[in-house]
Amino acid sequence: MAGVSEYIVVGSILFALGLVGFFSRRNLIVMFLSTEVMFQGIVVNVVAFSGLHQNMDGQMFALFLLVIAAVEAGLALGMIVLLYRRRGTLDAEAWSAMHG
Amino acid sequence: MTEFLTSQFGVSIILAGVVFGILQGAVAYCIYFERKIAAWIQDRCGPNRVGPAGLLQPLADGGKMILKEDVIPGHVDKNLFVLAPAIMFIVAFVGFAAIPWGGQLELGGKLVSIQVASPDIGLLYILGVASMGIYGVVLGGWSSNNKYSLFGAIRATAQMLSYEIPMGLCILVIVLTVGAIRLEDIVLPQTAYWSDVIPKWNVFLHPLAFIVLFVTMLAEANRTPFDLAEAEQELVGGFHTEYSALKFGMFFLAEYASMITSSALLAVLFLGGWHLPWIPWAQPEATGIAAVIVKMLVMGGKIAGSLFVMMWLRWTLPRFRFDQLMRLAWGGLIPFTLGLFVLTVGLLYFDKHQSPLWTLGGNAVVLVLTLAVAGLSRRDVTGRPASLPSLEGRSLTHGRLAGDVS
Amino acid sequence: MTPSTGYLLYLLFAMGGAGLYLLLPQPGKSRALPGVALSVLALAGLLSVLAVKVIAPSDTSAYFCLFSAIAIFGASRVITHRKPVYSALYFVLVVISVAALLVLQRAEFLAVALIIVYAGAIIVTYLFVIMLAQQSHETVYDTRAREPFFAVLVGFVLMAAITGKAVEPATTSEAKIVTAQFAQQNLAGAIEGLPEGNTADVAAALLTKYIVVLEIAGVLLLVSMVGAVALSRKKIPVEGHGLPTRPLGQIGKEVEPF
């Protein structure tokens, strides 16, 4: 049976991959998908802790992470649609200059 | 070996094979019966050339599907184009795993469930699997790189996401009433009787939730009157416009398979699953092999009845317009099922959720309230929203375009 | 874990990071082959490290390795694929394998909730936006990563820090006691003690200890809904609303459709 440190390693790899994606990709949608990957890493970790401590705290945390992810997706997609209407592109770099 | 075969795991594996085989055949014959029923409703003969009364028609259709040229158009995204029908097909069949087909069977002194898997979260499992079915439609529509397919996919996405909400609320009503989400535990309380006569099927407690669940299942399976995703007249077939041969056949079979899953879920949630009153073989105490076969037949009969109503509706009702469809979900079904949900929670608080008098009375109250609100609000249900200017003296096609953008 | 596995893990992370750097979309000639080779090597190495540690006969650890591999593979494809639609689909793969990892931890309810909420709703809306905004051709901003080297470096440092903590031998006496307790009461034993279905436990915790948080989550969802509606509303100029009018039927021709 896999111990908690294995789950931590896997979860943190997912988190780090999401972080790399968030830093390096320029497509707004892929950037937000990367943050969702980071959420997945956290879910793996907190549920592993929940199993370790034999209580529900970790799972509750993961459940509320789901809520946050849904909230984030709703707002982020609304904003992406708005930004796409303004510039006609999903490139994050199109918004690097503060004019206009 | 015998030990393995009589264990739950062995039975599950055998059952998975048997159920999959039977359902493949059932799905093929669904198409035959759909055509027969259509013919009957339209006063025609229907398929009657292949075999006696056309009974071998599904085989001929299957052969045709396999032998046709499998065209992959040049402008499509090939990987997703191939993946989409596969996703539809797999998802449509995977849901069967958690359906309880026939109670329990006594094998070598032990009781095993006639169910491929009986997870604690059975109901949620089916919902989760069903929610994945949307990917087949979306990917099929998008990867075809055809604007009609894309329209179909977008319509299907919006429709399935919207109708999942009233569906979930109806299911929650039953979950609250029964207090379980393992499907076997939902069936078992329904095998008792009120005053030894009427079986405690949930449909007698919540008839309105039953009807709404049936409607949302039509929408989830993209059946008429909710088949806007394929709307032949407008979208040339919608998301499967570009598909041919066996890939098209997989979409077709998946539609019927998901209809069967929905019907089975409906039977389990509201119609007592494999239970039939007064028949000794269809009681939970009967665990012999004959009893299991009778129970499976009962379940099959209930599924067939529900399928018949679906086909009947298809050849009776015209298709909704898209704004009507959305208004029905968000303005009609969701507030209505929320009312039912609040009612059930209230009855649960006063511990009256199992008494038919209270639930039926509450259902009537919710229905009257809904009708009153609908009657008092001046909104025209079928017409154009009042916020948009009238179409008097305008070209209708242009006007409708502008209205749809809102 | 021992320090030597820790160093091995650092090496594997460095390899994986280098592979990732090569795989991130960049202009110029394709560097996919060495990238794939390095990443696959790193993933295989990582799996064998995990497998040596955890696999005992007749238990579920093989599934742990399998689904971890799928999750990591899927996540790296999410961030390296040049087509956003594929990124979203690989993310579905990540979600499903993470759900499987949760099932291994006896968190079935959470696993199914993850699939219904993420795969069934969130990613579908992402796909919706991608489908509306982009057709299948590749765009310039999807084929050029922004500072891939530094991004990978940050990721590597983060991984090194986390696993460094996870595999570091305890130094203070207090830490030693905690570590010993953790080692004794390891996850294996802990999970086997849990009942098979935990939906009732989830509900009990949610509606007693976490009831306030639950309410706040509901309010948050409401705020998000209002915000999303307010953000994405589109004023369509029609007659009688005091806005400049346009002839009906011209939306999509003269006026930008979206």
Side-chain angles (χ1 to χ4, degrees), chain A residues 1-10 12-27 29-37 39-40 43-44 47-48 51-54 56-57 59-60 62-82 84-85 89-93, chain C residues 1 13 20 24-25 46 50 53-54 59-61 64 68 71-72 75-76 79-81 84 87-88 91 98 102 104-105 107 110 114 118 122 125-126 129-130 133-134 141-142 144-146 151 154-155 158-159 162 182 185 187-188 190 194 198 201-202 205-206 209-210 213-214 217 220-221 224 227-228 231-234 258:
Chain A
M1 182 59 94
V4 72
S5 44
E6 281 80 19
Y7 279 99
I8 292 179
V9 169
V10 171
S12 51
I13 289 174
L14 288 182
F15 188 87
L17 283 173
L19 194 73
V20 172
F22 190 77
F23 282 155
S24 64
R25 293 304 295 266
R26 285 165 61 187
N27 189 323
I29 292 179
V30 180
M31 284 169 77
F32 277 106
L33 278 175
S34 303
T35 62
E36 307 283 354
V37 173
F39 274 128
Q40 298 299 307
V43 166
V44 170
V47 175
L52 181 73
H53 292 293
Q54 295 260 25
M56 280 288 145
D57 293 354
Q59 291 195 28
M60 289 300 116
L63 211 54
F64 291 120
L65 269 180
L66 276 185
V67 175
I68 301 296
V71 167
E72 184 228 319
L75 284 179
L77 288 174
M79 273 156 70
I80 288 172
V81 168
L82 199 69
Y84 183 76
R85 270 186 207 150
T89 170
L90 291 174
D91 189 359
E93 307 256 303
Chain C
M1 287 192 186
F13 292 149
L20 203 61
L24 278 171
L46 180 77
L50 292 183
K53 287 280 296 173
V54 300
D59 72 4
T60 53
S61 298
F64 168 75
S68 312
I72 294 169
S76 46
I79 65 172
T80 54
H81 210 288
S87 289
F91 183 64
V98 165
L102 299 193
L104 289 181
Q105 310 234 43
L110 201 58
L114 199 70
Y118 259 108
I122 295 183
T125 47
Y126 272 98
V129 174
I130 297 173
Q134 224 171 8
Y141 49 89
D142 275 325
R144 279 166 192 271
R146 183 177 47 182
V154 168
L158 180 76
M159 282 310 301
I162 295 174
F182 268 44
Q185 173 216 18
L187 199 57
L194 293 178
N198 68 346
D201 299 339
V202 170
L206 201 59
K209 193 173 170 188
Y210 290 94
V213 194
L214 185 69
L220 203 58
L221 282 171
S224 150
L231 273 176
S232 53
R233 263 182 57 182
K234 169 106 176 139
F258 184 55

Side-chain angles (χ1 to χ4, degrees), chain B residues 349-383:
Chain B
Y349 182 76
F350 294 107
D351 208 18
K352 297 277 190 251
H353 58 290
Q354 297 276 17
S355 102
L357 222 57
W358 281 92
T359 57
L360 286 179
N363 267 322
V365 170
V366 172
L367 186 63
V368 167
L369 275 179
T370 313
L371 290 180
V373 170
L376 288 178
S377 77
R378 295 270 192 76
R379 270 233 321 257
D380 185 3
V381 180
T382 54

Side-chain angles (χ1 to χ4, degrees), chain B residues 172-179 206 341-354 358-359:
Chain B
L172 266 182
V173 166
I174 293 308
V175 169
L176 284 175
T177 309
V178 180
H206 288 286
F341 178 67
V342 171
L343 164 81
T344 316
V345 172
L347 292 178
L348 191 68
Y349 182 76
F350 294 107
D351 208 18
K352 297 277 190 251
H353 58 290
Q354 297 276 17
W358 281 92
T359 57

Side-chain angles (χ1 to χ4, degrees), chain C:
Chain C
M1 287 192 186
T2 56
S4 60
T5 24
Y7 291 125
L8 190 53
L9 281 178
Y10 288 160
L11 180 68
L12 292 172
F13 292 149
M15 273 168 65
L20 203 61
Y21 171 72
L22 293 176
L23 283 175
L24 278 171
Q26 287 167 65
K29 69 176 166 79
S30 167
R31 283 167 294 185
L33 199 64
V36 169
L38 268 177
S39 321
V40 168
L41 261 174
L43 187 54
L46 180 77
L47 281 180
S48 45
V49 168
L50 292 183
V52 166
K53 287 280 296 173
V54 300
I55 284 195
S58 79
D59 72 4
T60 53
S61 298
Y63 293 114
F64 168 75
C65 289
L66 176 67
F67 289 115
S68 312
I70 298 176
I72 294 169
F73 164 73
S76 46
R77 287 310 276 154
V78 170
I79 65 172
T80 54
H81 210 288
R82 286 166 185 238
K83 290 182 183 168
V85 173
Y86 282 83
S87 289
L89 289 177
Y90 276 111
F91 183 64
V92 176
L93 196 64
V94 175
V95 170
I96 292 174
S97 43
V98 165
L101 288 179
L102 299 193
V103 170
L104 289 181
Q105 310 234 43
R106 300 276 166 88
E108 286 108 348
F109 179 80
L110 201 58
V112 180
L114 199 70
I115 286 188
I116 292 179
V117 173
Y118 259 108
I122 295 183
I123 300 306
V124 176
T125 47
Y126 272 98
L127 272 181
F128 206 97
V129 174
I130 297 173
M131 289 194 313
L132 286 173
Q134 224 171 8
Q135 278 300 325
S136 51
H137 58 87
E138 288 180 6
T139 53
V140 117
Y141 49 89
D142 275 325
T143 52
R144 279 166 192 271
R146 183 177 47 182
E147 303 285 0
F149 178 72
F150 288 105
V152 172
L153 191 67
V154 168
F156 175 75
V157 170
L158 180 76
M159 282 310 301
I162 295 174
T163 45
K165 272 292 169 206
V167 302
E168 180 180 75
T171 45
T172 65
S173 57
E174 196 185 339
K176 270 178 188 157
I177 295 170
V178 174
T179 320
Q181 278 174 352
F182 268 44
Q184 201 176 25
Q185 173 216 18
N186 70 19
L187 199 57
I191 284 179
E192 265 144 37
L194 293 178
E196 197 180 309
N198 68 346
T199 315
D201 299 339
V202 170
L206 201 59
L207 293 178
T208 54
K209 193 173 170 188
Y210 290 94
I211 183 73
V212 179
V213 194
L214 185 69
E215 300 284 340
I216 294 174
V219 174
L220 203 58
L221 282 171
L222 181 70
V223 170
S224 150
M225 189 178 80
V226 173
V229 171
L231 273 176
S232 53
R233 263 182 57 182
K234 169 106 176 139
K235 281 206 183 73
I236 294 180
V238 285
E239 294 156 40
H241 285 258
L243 293 164
T245 58
R246 314 225 185 229
L248 282 174
Q250 294 308 299
I251 296 170
K253 290 180 184 164
E254 289 169 13
V255 187
E256 284 283 305
F258 184 55

Side-chain angles (χ1 to χ4, degrees), chain B residues 198-347:
Chain B
I198 305 169
K200 283 192 175 176
W201 292 1
N202 287 326
V203 66
F204 300 123
L205 286 172
H206 288 286
L208 293 176
F210 173 72
I211 293 167
V212 175
L213 186 64
F214 185 77
V215 170
T216 58
M217 278 172 169
L218 284 179
E220 290 286 312
N222 272 325
R223 291 285 297 181
T224 324
F226 302 103
D227 63 340
L228 284 109
E230 36 201 281
E232 296 87 352
Q233 293 84 347
E234 311 149 37
L235 297 185
V236 217
F239 62 90
H240 54 58
T241 302
E242 300 281 358
Y243 283 89
S244 58
L246 204 55
K247 292 200 194 67
F248 174 75
M250 279 161 93
F251 274 123
F252 212 55
L253 292 182
E255 179 184 333
Y256 285 91
S258 64
M259 276 163 69
I260 295 181
T261 319
S262 314
S263 305
L265 191 60
L266 200 70
V268 167
L269 288 178
F270 282 96
L271 300 175
W274 37 259
H275 175 250
L276 201 63
W278 316 302
I279 306 286
W281 289 300
Q283 304 302 327
E285 299 81 36
T287 51
I289 189 88
V292 164
I293 289 172
V294 169
K295 283 175 186 175
M296 288 176 97
L297 286 178
V298 169
M299 186 81 181
K302 285 174 183 172
I303 293 174
S306 154
L307 285 178
F308 172 72
V309 178
M310 285 183 180
M311 292 172 184
W312 178 16
L313 284 177
R314 170 161 179 189
W315 298 103
T316 308
L317 295 179
R319 182 180 299 135
F320 277 114
R321 211 171 59 210
F322 196 70
D323 61 320
Q324 294 170 333
L325 176 98
M326 280 296 149
R327 220 177 300 161
L328 177 65
W330 292 95
L333 293 181
I334 292 176
F336 181 61
T337 43
L338 265 177
L340 286 180
F341 178 67
V342 171
L343 164 81
T344 316
V345 172
L347 292 178

